[in-house]
Amino acid sequence: KNTNLLKSFQLQMKKVALIYSKNISDLTGVSAVMRSFAENKDLFKKNGIELSVYSRENICNKSQILKEARRSNNLKQRIKSKISQFITKHAKKHSLFAFLKIYIASIRPAKKIVQYFVNQNKKYDIIFIHEIFTCYEYLKQCQSQAKTIFIIHCCGDIYSSYKLDYKNFEKSIYYKYLLHIESRVLSEVDKLGFVAQTPCRNFLKEYPDFHKENIFHVWNGIAIIPKIDIQENQKKYLEICCIATIYERKGQKFIVEALNTLKHSGSLPDIHFSIVGDGTSKNELQQLSIDYGIEKYITFCGSSNDITHYLSQSDIFILPSMDEGFPISILEAMRASLPIVSTKVGGIPEMLENGVNGIFIDPSTKGVCDFISNINNYDWKAMGEKSYQIFLEKFTVKTMIDSYSSVINQLS
């Protein structure tokens, strides 16, 4: 009897394929969400969903990745690296190079992972995708009866990050090709999801004719871990942490410029910033901090797999972004009982209550200057404790998976 019940339950389970073209081990917010899905298949199973994950790790296993790393010093790899650096250098000013960078980083991997998925020849009820190019390739290559759910991890404008990173790209012929991709995806997906309410509203302003019944939002969530022991600050200064990929749109330059401005005005309080992460702007900002003579106030720590170390050493978390979806780094800081200083972009206003678990600033040098100038006017410890409470109430991985499971189970 029990065996028959188990077989019946397995037959009723919805088979869902998560297709992701990057490594789920990458140090990005979207990869962190994919990692949460892969590590918590049991939570999906409790909700009647059998989740299979397809990512770059399927194509390049760990041994291959290690071999690639060992070969990184050979001539072929050095040439590739030089070409990549050349493309990155010119991408900001020239649309062709911007498109090449997008193609290499996102479009080509999307083609590869979808082709791998097709070759597996397995049947699924639902296809679960979190990148537009992967979704496009799936719709183009597959003729299955499976329903598709596409999640947008941004402010509501699918290509907003490209518009900010590459100033002239929006006016180019290459951008028109991306609009073609966007048009096909939006016309063919069965459900369109966002990671917060605000991006959802932003999207509907741009696409008022899109079927509202096919739109939903689910907040990102992360695992509950033993509460981080925030070390008592024995130093005479406040430690402020920023964890993010170092791009122009993430706003780390505002921190550097603000420190320079306040240093020259003689009104710089006792503070120190730790900038954790890597990216195209890191070397430029590091050199700028040396040129300004503010190295004692700011340290560029590089990428790290142990962000807990930096969070536990910090008093405040800052993310002065110009563009966001629903940043995982803020959730990690909230889980670490840190107060948040950030901007009113994307879904951040749904994470941050001004004066309760942090404060809002403008995404500008002046915004960071105002925060630093008034830094001693807030009860940061009390706001950090509130951050942890809000995290537990709203932003756990179980809450996120239960919400996605509900959407999946409603899609017949």
Side-chain angles (χ1 to χ4, degrees):
K1 220 178 224 186
N2 288 338
T3 304
N4 289 336
L5 282 171
L6 180 62
K7 284 181 179 178
S8 175
F9 179 69
Q10 288 173 337
L11 287 171
Q12 292 171 11
M13 294 268 284
K14 285 204 171 175
K15 294 184 181 296
V16 176
L18 171 66
I19 311 176
Y20 184 58
S21 71
K22 309 291 195 322
N23 290 314
I24 61 173
S25 57
D26 287 347
L27 299 177
T28 65
V30 180
S31 289
V33 175
M34 302 304 105
R35 205 156 51 243
S36 291
F37 293 148
E39 292 171 354
N40 291 279
K41 291 181 182 179
D42 57 319
L43 293 179
F44 280 105
K45 190 162 282 190
K46 287 177 182 176
N47 293 325
I49 293 164
E50 184 180 321
L51 183 72
S52 300
V53 178
Y54 295 86
S55 68
R56 187 173 179 268
E57 280 92 347
N58 291 97
I59 302 171
C60 295
N61 59 41
K62 288 183 180 178
S63 62
Q64 286 177 300
I65 293 169
L66 286 170
K67 284 178 184 176
E68 286 176 14
R70 291 193 199 103
R71 289 200 305 264
S72 62
N73 289 325
N74 69 24
L75 180 61
K76 186 177 179 181
Q77 290 302 118
R78 289 202 297 272
I79 291 171
K80 280 186 178 180
S81 178
K82 289 288 185 185
I83 292 171
S84 176
Q85 289 171 16
F86 181 83
I87 291 171
T88 299
K89 181 180 177 182
H90 291 85
K92 285 190 176 183
K93 294 182 179 178
H94 301 285
S95 299
L96 172 60
F97 291 106
F99 179 73
L100 284 173
K101 190 166 177 61
I102 294 166
Y103 183 86
I104 292 167
S106 299
I107 298 177
R108 185 172 63 180
K111 290 176 182 287
K112 287 183 178 180
I113 191 62
V114 172
Q115 187 58 59
Y116 174 85
F117 174 77
V118 170
N119 291 342
Q120 302 311 299
N121 197 29
K122 293 182 179 179
K123 291 185 178 180
Y124 291 93
D125 302 305
I126 308 282
I127 307 299
F128 194 29
I129 302 179
H130 291 247
E131 317 150 276
I132 189 164
F133 301 121
T134 301
C135 193
Y136 173 73
E137 287 299 327
Y138 170 79
L139 293 170
K140 192 170 73 167
Q141 293 189 39
C142 297
Q143 302 298 319
S144 75
Q145 299 300 309
K147 302 287 187 179
T148 52
I149 300 175
F150 170 46
I151 311 300
I152 298 175
H153 289 256
C154 68
C155 66
D157 178 347
I158 296 175
Y159 299 130
S160 59
S161 62
Y162 296 148
K163 294 176 187 177
L164 283 169
D165 291 343
Y166 314 121
K167 302 299 183 187
N168 300 316
F169 187 64
E170 193 176 358
K171 300 173 184 175
S172 70
I173 190 171
Y174 310 106
Y175 186 72
K176 289 180 181 177
Y177 173 63
L178 297 196
L179 290 179
H180 158 73
I181 290 174
E182 179 185 78
S183 177
R184 176 162 183 178
V185 168
L186 294 181
S187 66
E188 294 187 26
V189 293
D190 296 286
K191 284 285 185 180
L192 183 66
F194 295 84
V195 290
Q197 289 177 326
T198 306
C200 190
R201 287 196 294 266
N202 292 341
F203 174 83
L204 285 172
K205 286 178 186 175
E206 192 70 27
Y207 297 91
D209 297 330
F210 194 90
H211 296 297
K212 293 182 178 64
E213 65 273 15
N214 292 334
I215 293 181
F216 67 97
H217 81 274
V218 171
W219 287 326
N220 286 336
I222 55 175
I224 299 173
I225 60 174
K227 197 169 181 182
I228 293 175
D229 183 20
I230 300 293
Q231 298 182 13
E232 197 66 35
N233 191 344
Q234 303 297 326
K235 304 179 284 289
K236 293 181 179 179
Y237 57 84
L238 285 171
E239 178 67 33
I240 307 157
C241 183
C242 176
I243 300 174
T245 307
I246 305 178
Y247 291 140
E248 185 177 347
R249 60 189 166 85
K250 293 289 185 178
Q252 290 97 338
K253 188 172 184 179
F254 301 141
I255 297 172
V256 175
E257 295 292 353
L259 287 172
N260 182 50
T261 299
L262 294 174
K263 176 175 174 280
H264 280 289
S265 69
S267 55
L268 194 55
D270 293 324
I271 57 173
H272 178 267
F273 286 84
S274 290
I275 309 295
V276 183
D278 208 344
T280 53
S281 298
K282 178 175 175 279
N283 292 340
E284 173 196 338
L285 296 185
Q286 200 164 13
Q287 185 58 51
L288 200 58
S289 69
I290 294 169
D291 295 342
Y292 287 160
I294 57 170
E295 308 100 299
K296 68 177 282 190
Y297 301 104
I298 187 167
T299 301
F300 289 86
C301 307
S303 294
S304 175
N305 288 311
D306 185 17
I307 61 161
T308 301
H309 166 74
Y310 294 100
L311 294 173
S312 67
Q313 301 279 333
S314 301
D315 301 293
I316 302 166
F317 182 85
I318 185 170
L319 188 66
S321 296
M322 294 183 281
D323 177 70
E324 284 292 347
F326 201 81
I328 294 295
S329 60
I330 288 182
L331 293 185
E332 290 167 333
M334 291 173 68
R335 182 177 63 184
S337 300
L338 288 180
I340 310 301
V341 176
S342 197
T343 54
K344 291 183 180 180
V345 297
I348 295 175
E350 295 164 51
M351 313 166 84
L352 172 55
E353 297 179 45
N354 197 48
V356 177
N357 68 320
I359 63 169
F360 285 115
I361 61 171
D362 289 332
S364 64
T365 300
K366 183 180 182 302
V368 179
C369 279
D370 290 344
F371 151 61
I372 294 172
S373 298
N374 293 288
I375 201 165
N376 294 318
N377 296 338
Y378 298 95
D379 187 344
W380 296 111
K381 188 171 183 181
M383 288 196 283
E385 290 170 358
K386 190 63 181 174
S387 270
Y388 186 68
Q389 292 172 22
I390 294 172
F391 158 69
L392 289 179
E393 289 167 10
K394 297 182 176 181
F395 306 127
T396 66
V397 70
K398 184 180 185 306
T399 301
M400 174 180 68
I401 287 177
D402 284 348
S403 296
Y404 276 121
S405 297
S406 177
V407 174
I408 290 167
N409 283 320
Q410 289 170 22
L411 192 57
S412 57

